[in-house]
């Protein structure tokens, strides 16, 4: 494709949306609209409809692998079967969650969270639960602001703290180095390669 083009984006939640907005800026494509934001089950129920819609214009769907399949390819097969899909339809699976893509820039994230970089493994795609790992990492922060934002209280019953999305949005927009992340996360590198079909850069 030549020239700046646009795509419809489908995401699980707010953090995914912010990551895709950053990718659009870096890769040079416009986001026409963003759908989803209602979790993974919502996407799965409609994914074949999204693929069909891509016959008219590009669609990019992003969601976490979690524990729903042994690998990204297996999840794609489970959702789409073996039927061919339009070239303008891109389904990217974060292994095992989009937080792994942020952890892949370990140096910048460690500084942002005020934690020791050695606590972040180099093989981030092998982390079983990247969201939980990031929250537990933030518990070791020297910054009360980080701990209060990212870590939930026992009484809340939530997986993340009240400022989780806000703080990680700041990191994605201002600190995250995508080139470094792509070197440490094969999942993210594959995403970048596929999205160059949409972007103009």
């Amino acid at each position: 494709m030549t020239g700046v083009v646009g795509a419809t984006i489908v995401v699980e939640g707010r953090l995914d949306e912010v990551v895709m907005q950053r990718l659009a800026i870096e890769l040079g494509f416009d986001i026409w609209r963003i759908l989803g934001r209602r979790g993974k089950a919502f996407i799965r129920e409609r994914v074949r409809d999204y693929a069909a819609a891509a016959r008219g214009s590009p669609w990019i769907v992003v969601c976490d692998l979690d524990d729903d399949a042994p690998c990204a390819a297996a999840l794609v097969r489970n959702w789409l079967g073996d039927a061919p899909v339009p070239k303008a339809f891109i389904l990217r699976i974060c292994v095992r969650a989009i937080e792994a893509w942020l952890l892949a820039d370990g140096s910048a994230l460690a500084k942002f969270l005020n934690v020791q970089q050695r606590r972040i493994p180099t093989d981030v795609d092998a982390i079983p639960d990247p969201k939980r790992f990031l929250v537990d990492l933030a518990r070791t922060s020297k910054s009360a602001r980080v701990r209060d934002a990212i870590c939930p209280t026992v009484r809340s019953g939530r997986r993340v703290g009240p400022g989780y999305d806000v703080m990680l949005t700041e990191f994605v927009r201002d600190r995250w180095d995508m080139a470094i992340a792509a070197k440490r996360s094969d999942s993210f590198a594959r995403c970048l390669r596929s999205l160059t079909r949409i972007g103009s850069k």
Side-chain angles (χ1 to χ4, degrees):
M1 295 184 184
T2 59
V4 177
V5 297
T8 297
I9 308 295
V10 185
V11 295
E12 286 191 48
R14 175 60 181 159
L15 183 58
D16 313 61
E17 178 180 349
V18 173
V19 168
M20 293 308 300
Q21 288 170 336
R22 175 72 192 282
L23 286 170
I25 291 171
E26 296 293 334
L27 298 178
F29 64 88
D30 290 334
I31 295 178
W32 289 335
R33 56 180 174 167
I34 299 178
L35 304 178
R37 303 190 188 95
R38 296 171 64 179
K40 190 173 183 178
F42 181 88
I43 294 176
R44 181 172 188 176
E45 291 173 0
R46 295 161 178 80
V47 69
R48 297 194 181 207
D49 293 334
Y50 299 148
R55 292 188 176 91
S57 61
W59 281 64
I60 304 170
V61 179
V62 180
C63 64
D64 294 342
L65 176 62
D66 298 317
D67 292 321
D68 293 342
C71 64
L75 185 65
V76 172
R77 286 194 300 272
N78 289 343
W79 284 17
L80 296 175
D82 297 323
V85 297
K87 291 183 179 180
F89 178 72
I90 298 175
L91 173 58
R92 296 317 312 172
I93 309 299
C94 310
V95 179
R96 288 197 170 257
I98 203 163
E99 283 83 358
W101 293 2
L102 309 189
L103 288 160
D105 185 6
S107 176
L109 186 61
K111 291 178 182 177
F112 181 75
L113 297 180
N114 200 359
V115 300
Q116 295 178 330
Q117 184 179 345
R118 64 178 178 80
R119 292 181 176 271
I120 303 176
T122 55
D123 187 4
V124 294
D125 286 353
I127 299 174
D129 188 342
K131 183 188 290 288
R132 179 176 179 178
F133 182 91
L134 198 153
V135 170
D136 288 343
L137 182 67
R139 294 186 196 280
T140 70
S141 174
K142 297 178 182 178
S143 168
R145 173 176 173 263
V146 169
R147 297 193 303 271
D148 292 345
I150 293 181
C151 306
T153 63
V154 175
R155 291 184 178 181
S156 72
R158 298 174 59 87
R159 292 194 69 195
V160 300
Y164 185 86
D165 285 342
V166 171
M167 180 155 282
L168 291 183
T169 292
E170 179 183 340
F171 173 73
V172 170
R173 289 178 173 171
D174 301 335
R175 309 286 187 89
W176 186 43
D177 189 319
M178 292 176 9
I180 292 176
K183 293 178 180 178
R184 298 181 63 189
S185 169
D186 183 63
S187 167
F188 182 59
R190 288 173 181 270
C191 177
L192 285 182
R193 288 195 294 271
S194 66
L195 293 186
T196 57
R197 304 196 332 240
I198 301 297
S200 62
K201 293 184 178 180

